[in-house]
Amino acid sequence: MRVAMIGAGYVGLVSGACFADFGHVVTCIDKDAGKIARLKQGDMPIFEPGLDQLVAANVREGRLAFTTEAAEAVGAADAVFIAVGTPSRRGDGHADLSYVHAAAAEVANLVQGFTVVVTKSTVPVGTGDEIEAIIRKVRADADVAVVSNPEFLREGAAIADFKRPDRVVVGTEDERARAVMRELYRPLFLNETPVLFTARRTSELIKYAANAFLAMKITFINEIADLCDAVGADVQQVSRGIGMDGRIGSKFLNAGPGYGGSCFPKDTLALVRTAVDAGSPVRLIETTVAVNDARKLAMAQKVAKAMGGDIAGKTIALLGLTFKPNTDDMRDAPSLAIAPGLQAMGAHIQAFDPEGHEAKGLLPGVTFKANAYEATRGADAVVIITEWDQFRALDLDRLKAVMRAPRVIDLRNIYNPADMKARGFHYTSVGRPD
Ligand SMILES: NC(=O)c1ccc[n+]([C@@H]2O[C@H](COP(=O)([O-])OP(=O)(O)OC[C@H]3O[C@@H](n4cnc5c(N)ncnc54)[C@H](O)[C@@H]3O)[C@@H](O)[C@H]2O)c1
């Protein structure tokens, strides 16, 4: 199959490279000329484990190419994927569909012969109808089927998730389109990956319902963690105790500083708006959004409290700034609320993240350091915000030696409270007795 992938970001680039690895011929198209120039030189514009080798191998085999010009690739394509961003619209929280609409209009002019136009971007219910209307308006005679195929990959494990997904969801009732989608995902059929064919609107909603449920699960355990703090219980054991129940499941039950990232915050908000517009509000998700927003802001207070209250003039080290480990993605990361919150209380911030280079432009006044020990040098406390593997095995004696005071605030519960105490640290975590 010939595939044109519009948008070479976290989703488009990974999906494009994986489809090429399945044996299809893929062209990734992006408006960002700098991104395309880097990709052509084999230089990855994002950090995603394994992506550079996967891209290099498929470029070498002639199955993967990059361009800023959509015409040729879209004209030749059996399937055109739209994988552009759908950020929150400023002001109202609806998904901003301007990139999706623009891509649809461009595609309309370029398709030749029967073409499946696939929405991979996360889009509100009814967007498939809008894309179809845009294409028909631009080219009444275009022979297209518009399909919803939401993506469930996680940054940091994106390639494995794409190649071995829990399921693939395809929303279309067009038999020709279903045949093309089956062929595209054929290697997964051989692996017996469940492929769920639904109507288009149902598929669009599945993606939002999945993200909203996961965001709610995280928020649930975060609230239980606060309750644990209040009553002297241990949230990690509560998680284990409830997670062993197959109806609940053990994943996504780690208490922390609140969810962030490029998907959950904007997708929960967009679902809330869709539901209000449809006259069928989703109160649980409205509350999830409010509780999580408040939690991210409250984390700076938690740090201050652990340090005795007054942090004016204190130096605080932050370890991990990206919204989760193994990605360079800073979108809606909890660190973006925590660092300014601490600065507002008069603290000086020194920070280190292995890949979150973009933080330098997002966190004014923060001093960036080259590693964990440089960041903690002279600090009155260290806050672990993102659980990169390298922070799980810090040399604690070295840490204690470089810090002004041995105080660790572990917002990811990666250390053991009793061990830390025995090693001479003042240790605070989330939902566990100190
Ligand atoms: N990042 C994730 O983990 C993830 C997971 C599942 C789903 N999604 C969804 O996938 C979509 C894309 O997310 P992302 O994180 O890859 O975004 P991104 O911002 O990393 O990438 C989007 C890319 O599209 C390009 N673009 C925009 N308009 C274009 C056009 N008309 N022609 C060509 N290129 C264009 C941009 O330059 C950018 O490089 C979003 O809807 C998101 O919700 C993301």
Side-chain angles (χ1 to χ4, degrees):
M1 295 257 118
R2 291 195 162 262
V3 174
M5 185 68 65
I6 312 227
Y10 288 86
V11 164
L13 185 53
V14 170
S15 308
C18 289
F19 275 133
D21 215 47
F22 287 171
H24 304 301
V25 178
V26 180
T27 305
C28 290
I29 301 149
D30 205 290
K31 286 226 171 311
D32 182 338
K35 200 174 261 189
I36 293 298
R38 286 181 68 176
L39 284 165
K40 281 185 164 170
Q41 287 166 7
D43 178 17
M44 293 305 106
I46 57 169
F47 174 76
E48 178 61 45
L51 185 63
D52 44 0
Q53 293 98 316
L54 189 74
V55 167
N58 284 282
V59 168
R60 214 169 33 238
E61 301 281 327
R63 288 191 301 264
L64 182 60
F66 304 102
T67 181
T68 53
E69 299 302 324
E72 199 180 323
V74 171
D78 300 292
V80 179
F81 282 80
I82 298 178
V84 301
T86 49
S88 272
R89 197 161 70 191
R90 263 180 213 288
D92 64 9
H94 273 286
D96 176 354
L97 292 175
S98 55
Y99 302 101
V100 170
H101 290 163
E106 272 169 49
V107 167
N109 276 315
L110 301 173
V111 288
Q112 291 173 23
F114 176 63
T115 310
V116 182
V117 176
V118 191
T119 316
K120 236 202 195 316
S121 300
T122 301
V123 293
V125 173
T127 304
D129 304 359
E130 290 172 25
I131 293 174
E132 200 169 309
I134 289 169
I135 296 176
R136 299 262 174 257
K137 195 167 163 209
V138 176
R139 273 255 313 275
D141 64 331
D143 188 12
V144 295
V146 177
V147 172
S148 161
N149 172 221
E151 184 48 57
F152 298 96
L153 64 77
R154 294 163 300 169
E155 290 174 16
I159 294 168
D161 281 353
F162 193 93
K163 289 189 161 184
R164 286 181 291 283
D166 291 336
R167 79 311 205 180
V168 172
V169 175
V170 176
T172 179
E173 275 153 356
D174 183 304
E175 247 332 301
R176 287 186 302 170
R178 284 188 175 190
V180 169
M181 297 305 287
R182 264 191 212 102
E183 185 57 26
L184 281 168
Y185 283 107
R186 199 154 58 96
L188 299 188
F189 278 90
L190 299 177
N191 286 346
E192 298 187 352
T193 299
V195 179
L196 180 65
F197 285 100
T198 69
R200 194 163 63 199
R201 284 176 169 248
T202 304
S203 164
E204 289 168 337
L205 190 54
I206 285 172
K207 174 65 190 176
Y208 281 100
N211 274 0
F213 190 88
L214 293 172
M216 191 175 68
K217 200 170 176 190
I218 293 173
T219 305
F220 172 83
I221 203 65
N222 283 341
E223 283 204 313
I224 294 293
D226 288 350
L227 183 57
C228 285
D229 277 334
V231 301
D234 182 331
V235 74
Q236 259 172 340
Q237 290 181 20
V238 173
S239 289
R240 266 177 70 77
I242 64 173
M244 286 173 188
D245 184 329
R247 293 169 301 178
I248 295 173
S250 60
K251 292 183 181 160
F252 271 66
L253 285 179
N254 295 318
Y259 63 77
S262 58
C263 293
F264 288 175
K266 78 172 176 66
D267 292 346
T268 45
L269 209 51
L271 181 63
V272 164
R273 296 293 179 256
T274 298
V276 167
D277 287 356
S280 180
V282 283
R283 302 273 186 237
L284 280 173
I285 309 308
E286 288 175 11
T287 303
T288 297
V289 170
V291 169
N292 192 66
D293 286 350
R295 183 175 193 81
K296 286 201 273 189
L297 293 172
M299 284 299 117
Q301 294 295 342
K302 179 180 171 78
V303 172
K305 190 171 162 220
M307 294 177 69
D310 182 9
I311 59 169
K314 296 276 166 72
T315 297
I316 300 175
L318 304 185
L319 297 185
L321 301 170
T322 52
F323 85 92
K324 66 174 176 182
N326 293 323
T327 181
D328 58 350
D329 201 336
M330 285 296 300
R331 287 178 279 186
D332 272 318
S335 65
L336 298 178
I338 297 170
L342 296 172
Q343 286 170 315
M345 288 184 265
H348 170 65
I349 308 294
Q350 305 183 155
F352 168 67
D353 187 282
E355 294 291 338
H357 311 299
E358 204 198 316
K360 293 187 176 123
L362 299 172
L363 293 173
V366 169
T367 310
F368 291 88
K369 300 290 185 178
N371 59 51
Y373 304 101
E374 287 305 311
T376 46
R377 187 176 297 283
D380 297 286
V382 52
V383 185
I384 300 171
I385 302 182
T386 312
E387 69 281 29
W388 285 88
D389 274 347
Q390 60 173 282
F391 304 147
R392 291 177 185 271
L394 291 167
D395 177 341
L396 294 174
D397 291 333
R398 189 171 165 200
L399 197 70
K400 205 155 77 175
V402 298
M403 291 182 74
R404 186 178 300 147
R407 186 176 296 283
V408 175
I409 297 133
D410 176 2
L411 299 183
R412 297 290 181 174
N413 290 350
I414 59 178
Y415 285 96
N416 178 289
D419 287 353
M420 292 302 277
K421 205 169 173 184
R423 301 290 290 260
F425 284 92
H426 300 283
Y427 178 77
T428 308
S429 57
V430 181
R432 299 184 302 174
D434 293 347

